[in-house]
Amino acid sequence: SRNIADVRPMFEWMPRLLIFLASAITMRVWSEEHRAGTLEPLLTAPVRLPTLVFGKFLACLTLVAIGLLLTLPLPLTVSLLGQLDWGPVFGGYLASLVLAGAYIAIGLFVSAQFNSQIVSLIVSTLVCSILYMLGSDTLTGFFGNQGGEILKLLGAGSRFASITRGVIDLRDLVYSLSLMAIFLSLNVYSLERQRWAGNPTNPNHRRWGLLTSLLIANFLLINLWLAPIGLLRADLTTNKIYSISPATRSYLGRLQEPLLIRGYFSAQTHPLLAPLVPQLRDLLREYEVAGNGRVKVEFVDPQEKPELEQEAGEKYGIRPVPFQTASRYQTAVTNSYFDILVKYGNEFVTLGFQELIEVKSEGDTKLEVELRNPEHDITRTIKKVLYSYQGGGNLFAGINSPVVFHGYFSPDAKLPQPLVDLKKNLEEVLAELKQQGGEKFSLNYADPEADGGQLANQLRTDFGMQPMMAGLLSSESFWFYMTLESGEQQVQVALPSSLEKTALKTAIEASLKRFSKGMLKTVALYTPPANPGMGQFGMPSQGNTFQMLQRFAEQEHRVKPVDLSNGQVDPEADILVVVSPERLQPKQVFAIDQFLMQGGTVVLATSPFDIDLQGRLSAQERESGLKDWLAGYGINLHHTLVLDPQNAAFPVPVERQAGGYAIRETHLINYPYFVDIRNDGMNREGGLISGIDQLSLTWASPI
């Protein structure tokens, strides 16, 4: 019914069910011996007390194990209905067994103190419930970040949840085993004291007390000793989805103050998004563990907390998204949240469902919705807020040359009313930035259609800007564009989708960061000279593809186009990206080699063939000029193409005749040049392709 093939709901209730089960099983173990008067003969029997206590403990634990064994038909049935990951199932049963052992040890100790089964039941339930509640979100919410972390280390429920995700942490196992050992030791000591009842104190009694105290102290200390060690963990999931990468850990290690990650998830959401929420919750919990107290993770349903919903909308620009759902009986629209907020200091970035998911089509009607690459997306966001915060909040501190804001706006009479209001907010935002930047920030407004439209023609030529239309059926046009200019670098400021002051300020600040050193890495991008193309024959220029690549890279980096003809790479560059090189000159190859030798990072995208999709499909040999240089590093690109019998399909246009009328259709055909790599053909040891189950390579050459 949840559209998820797992048994997590059973294990979510297990810690609470085990409280009552363990208390009920243990309530008469020693209490009945008290009441029936059989305790004295038992204590004087020729059997060691630890043997008696462990025997009763083992009997109770065996009974619980039989009960857990009887639940096996549940995961077996689920495995028949869907693709069940048995790792979390094994972890859930292991966690249930060790937690039951801790509860049973507590119940045995309590039962030895009373001769009433009912009193024993009530006290055992109370003690186990308090232990379970210590790490719950209900209680930790009243304390700060550090206090909440301490309570989670003490709580049985929080320790249990980690194992049921499919992550076995040695610290969680030692915690439960320590509870067993502590209360079994107390059980032995309490029975030994009852055997001494009425006798004068002697050195043997004191040795018993000292030995028990030392045992308890050692079991407590081993938990304190293991607490900061987070490496002894085993990810049982099939694709190791909870194995946080070293890159993520390196960014978390740079945190100087708490990082807040808050998930906004509605209880009622689209059926295809609902199965993704538990995956995100579990992954974010791993961030919390890897953060060693520096990461605080929260999950809220804004529709249940109006104050948080107001804060999410006004401060962070997070709003519900309407999803249309349909069943055989009715069609409905559900407004729900599926967002993640990452906040560090006063810097924050939000991730909506568009940035978190990818939709795959299976046929004409069936859609498959999956998380795109959650760890990459979340870690990238953490890097953003971390670098922004390290900039000290002053955007102009790392900007050396003056920045000019250009606003190309039509008069208010021509603008739609929402843009008139946005323009007023823009003036307020720019006034704040002007006060912050001083002489480094100046403003320039212009009407592109003034003076005969000379500026409009220039904007069309330089930036490809076109007049905007008020609507599909409207004939009125207007201009509303924003750019930032510093030296020879110009950046266009995109209009925010929400048209609000907060979103507008975020967009302008993001563009300003491209002029600031230290906030964004600088990418030197080499692309081949653009072919002008032959528009009259429907052949576009090749440069359009690389302009899209440049705009994509500019979302997170400062991009500087280079041609390498002077034999060196821009000294400010952190990364050199060489795309589709063709007949590079020795001086250009020398520039690449020197940049690499100086410790720079080079990303190279090259191929021995150039695929032409215009007209008929053809492959032509392409000489990059890097063959000998790459061979010096042991890299040889063969002048052949890989063919794969297990291949991805290629869309081919086909015409068919229908009564003398030609209908153009697209058919998918098997295409051996599209290499299709599946799960069984991937090397899982390196971690490079973690979470990827299928990969297609188009027109690949062997290396």
Side-chain angles (χ1 to χ4, degrees):
S1 62
R2 292 161 60 241
N3 198 26
I4 310 174
D6 68 358
V7 287
R8 288 284 293 277
M10 180 181 74
F11 290 120
E12 286 175 0
W13 281 96
M14 197 64 74
R16 283 160 277 186
L17 293 174
L18 288 175
I19 291 174
F20 298 100
L21 180 61
S23 300
I25 291 174
T26 59
M27 68 179 184
R28 68 184 301 274
V29 172
W30 294 114
S31 298
E32 184 65 17
E33 304 281 5
H34 273 291
R35 191 194 64 78
T38 56
L39 183 62
E40 290 80 4
L42 194 61
L43 294 180
T44 55
V47 181
R48 294 168 60 89
L49 264 182
T51 304
L52 283 175
V53 171
F54 187 73
K56 289 183 177 288
F57 169 79
L58 197 60
C60 296
L61 188 61
T62 303
L63 191 58
V64 173
I66 293 173
L68 291 174
L69 192 64
L70 294 175
T71 65
L72 271 178
L74 284 172
L76 289 174
T77 305
V78 171
S79 67
L80 297 176
L81 298 174
Q83 189 175 354
L84 177 65
D85 189 346
W86 282 95
V89 176
F90 173 76
Y93 278 112
L94 178 63
S96 301
L97 198 60
V98 295
L99 184 61
Y103 286 163
I104 288 170
I106 295 172
L108 288 175
F109 170 69
V110 173
S111 180
Q113 312 307 311
F114 303 99
N115 56 9
S116 170
Q117 298 182 29
I118 301 302
V119 174
S120 176
L121 173 66
I122 294 173
V123 174
S124 297
T125 303
L126 184 62
V127 173
C128 294
S129 298
I130 293 174
L131 193 64
Y132 169 76
M133 288 291 293
L134 278 178
S136 65
D137 294 334
T138 305
L139 190 60
T140 56
F142 293 103
F143 298 86
N145 191 52
Q146 188 173 1
E149 287 298 318
I150 295 174
L151 289 177
K152 286 181 179 179
L153 292 176
L154 299 175
S158 55
R159 298 276 194 169
F160 180 88
S162 177
I163 303 181
T164 56
R165 289 201 303 268
V167 179
I168 295 182
D169 193 323
L170 180 64
R171 296 173 295 182
D172 297 331
L173 294 179
V174 169
Y175 168 81
S176 297
L177 294 174
S178 298
L179 283 177
M180 293 184 214
I182 289 171
F183 282 97
L184 289 177
S185 301
L186 289 173
N187 193 357
V188 172
Y189 180 68
S190 65
L191 292 174
E192 186 67 26
R193 283 181 58 88
Q194 293 181 38
R195 194 164 65 174
W196 306 335
N199 295 329
T201 304
N202 59 54
N204 187 42
H205 299 169
R206 286 191 289 270
R207 281 196 295 271
W208 267 97
L210 180 61
L211 179 61
T212 304
S213 300
L214 285 174
L215 281 173
I216 294 174
N218 275 280
F219 287 123
L220 291 174
L221 285 173
I222 194 173
N223 283 276
L224 294 175
W225 179 67
L226 288 174
I229 302 176
L231 301 176
L232 304 176
R233 298 162 62 84
D235 188 351
L236 302 180
T237 57
T238 302
N239 294 324
K240 308 297 180 185
I241 57 178
Y242 302 131
S243 298
I244 299 296
S245 65
T248 297
R249 295 182 184 275
S250 69
Y251 286 116
L252 296 180
R254 302 179 196 178
L255 300 176
Q256 301 297 322
E257 60 178 79
L259 172 79
L260 172 64
I261 304 179
R262 181 182 293 162
Y264 294 90
F265 302 117
S266 297
Q268 299 294 329
T269 187
H270 194 281
L272 295 178
L273 291 179
L276 306 182
V277 175
Q279 298 178 35
L280 281 174
R281 287 176 179 266
D282 292 344
L283 180 61
L284 292 180
R285 289 299 184 196
E286 288 302 306
Y287 274 84
E288 190 173 33
V289 173
N292 292 323
R294 294 187 295 268
V295 179
K296 182 179 181 182
V297 175
E298 299 176 350
F299 302 101
V300 298
D301 184 351
Q303 293 168 334
E304 293 182 355
K305 297 183 178 180
E307 67 280 0
L308 288 179
E309 186 170 26
Q310 181 180 358
E311 179 193 43
E314 294 181 354
K315 191 172 182 180
Y316 306 122
I318 297 175
R319 285 177 170 75
V321 178
F323 296 103
Q324 185 173 357
T325 58
S327 66
R328 59 189 301 180
Y329 301 109
Q330 64 177 359
T331 301
V333 174
T334 303
N335 294 284
S336 64
Y337 289 87
F338 194 92
D339 303 89
I340 293 177
L341 166 71
V342 179
K343 184 179 180 182
Y344 187 62
N346 58 352
E347 301 291 334
F348 68 88
V349 177
T350 60
L351 292 172
F353 81 97
Q354 299 95 336
E355 292 87 12
L356 293 170
I357 69 170
E358 62 178 357
V359 180
K360 298 179 180 179
S361 176
E362 296 184 359
D364 296 332
T365 58
K366 187 177 179 181
L367 294 177
E368 182 181 351
V369 178
E370 298 177 347
L371 291 176
R372 187 174 62 183
N373 193 340
E375 184 184 354
H376 172 265
D377 294 331
I378 295 170
T379 301
R380 180 184 60 181
T381 305
I382 291 174
K383 183 180 74 170
K384 278 186 181 180
V385 297
L386 180 61
Y387 284 173
S388 297
Y389 182 80
Q390 289 175 346
N394 186 358
L395 292 171
F396 297 93
I399 298 178
N400 297 327
S401 57
V403 178
V404 181
F405 174 89
H406 294 283
Y408 304 108
F409 307 134
S410 296
D412 291 353
K414 286 189 173 183
L415 293 176
Q417 187 57 41
L419 291 183
V420 175
D421 299 334
L422 182 67
K423 190 176 178 182
K424 295 178 181 178
N425 293 331
L426 174 65
E427 293 173 354
E428 296 177 6
V429 171
L430 293 176
E432 296 174 4
L433 292 174
K434 174 64 179 174
Q435 184 178 3
Q436 183 180 358
E439 296 181 356
K440 290 185 178 180
F441 191 65
S442 58
L443 309 175
N444 179 35
Y445 298 100
D447 179 7
E449 295 180 344
D451 300 328
Q454 182 179 355
L455 179 58
N457 294 330
Q458 183 181 349
L459 294 176
R460 289 189 183 96
T461 304
D462 294 346
F463 302 105
M465 297 179 179
Q466 299 290 337
M468 299 180 180
M469 306 301 293
L472 290 176
L473 302 179
S474 175
S475 60
E476 298 181 2
S477 62
F478 62 90
W479 290 79
F480 199 100
Y481 289 96
M482 300 173 287
T483 64
L484 292 171
E485 180 183 4
S486 179
E488 298 180 355
Q489 185 178 2
Q490 289 188 337
V491 175
Q492 184 174 344
V493 181
L495 271 176
S497 57
S498 59
L499 298 182
E500 293 186 352
K501 182 178 178 180
T502 304
L504 182 64
K505 184 177 181 181
T506 302
I508 296 176
E509 289 180 348
S511 300
L512 276 172
K513 291 175 184 177
R514 308 197 186 286
F515 302 102
S516 177
K517 294 182 179 179
M519 284 195 175
L520 297 174
K521 284 192 174 182
T522 301
V523 175
L525 177 64
Y526 170 85
T527 58
N531 296 326
M534 304 178 76
Q536 65 271 30
F537 297 107
M539 299 175 62
S541 66
Q542 187 185 17
N544 293 334
T545 303
F546 301 124
Q547 289 175 10
M548 292 172 59
L549 172 65
Q550 180 174 339
R551 287 196 295 269
F552 180 80
E554 285 176 346
Q555 294 177 9
E556 296 183 18
H557 305 85
R558 296 175 67 235
V559 178
K560 285 192 170 184
V562 295
D563 61 6
L564 307 177
S565 58
N566 60 353
Q568 62 180 7
V569 181
D570 192 304
E572 294 183 2
D574 300 300
I575 302 172
L576 172 62
V577 179
V578 181
V579 180
S580 188
E582 183 174 8
R583 302 187 184 280
L584 291 180
Q585 300 301 314
K587 216 171 187 180
Q588 294 174 303
V589 178
F590 177 78
I592 300 173
D593 183 67
Q594 289 302 301
F595 183 78
L596 187 64
M597 296 295 290
Q598 293 167 4
T601 299
V602 178
V603 178
L604 183 62
T606 183
S607 171
F609 292 98
D610 188 15
I611 307 299
D612 186 7
L613 297 177
Q614 303 297 331
R616 55 193 293 265
L617 182 63
S618 63
Q620 299 175 351
E621 288 196 17
R622 185 184 189 90
E623 182 60 45
S624 66
L626 294 173
K627 180 180 178 181
D628 296 336
W629 179 74
L630 287 174
Y633 286 98
I635 301 173
N636 294 286
L637 276 69
H638 300 284
H639 278 68
T640 56
L641 288 174
V642 179
L643 286 83
D644 187 1
Q646 175 183 284
N647 50 72
F650 184 69
V652 175
V654 177
E655 288 188 358
R656 67 178 175 88
Q657 299 294 325
Y661 178 72
I663 300 176
R664 191 178 181 87
E665 298 177 335
T666 299
H667 291 182
L668 295 177
I669 65 169
N670 292 332
Y671 191 66
Y673 293 102
F674 282 3
V675 180
D676 187 19
I677 306 173
R678 295 302 175 98
N679 203 344
D680 56 356
M682 297 183 180
N683 180 8
R684 294 290 179 185
E685 296 179 0
L688 177 66
I689 50 179
S690 175
I692 299 176
D693 293 323
Q694 188 262 345
L695 183 66
S696 296
L697 301 178
T698 59
W699 297 294
S701 295
I703 299 178

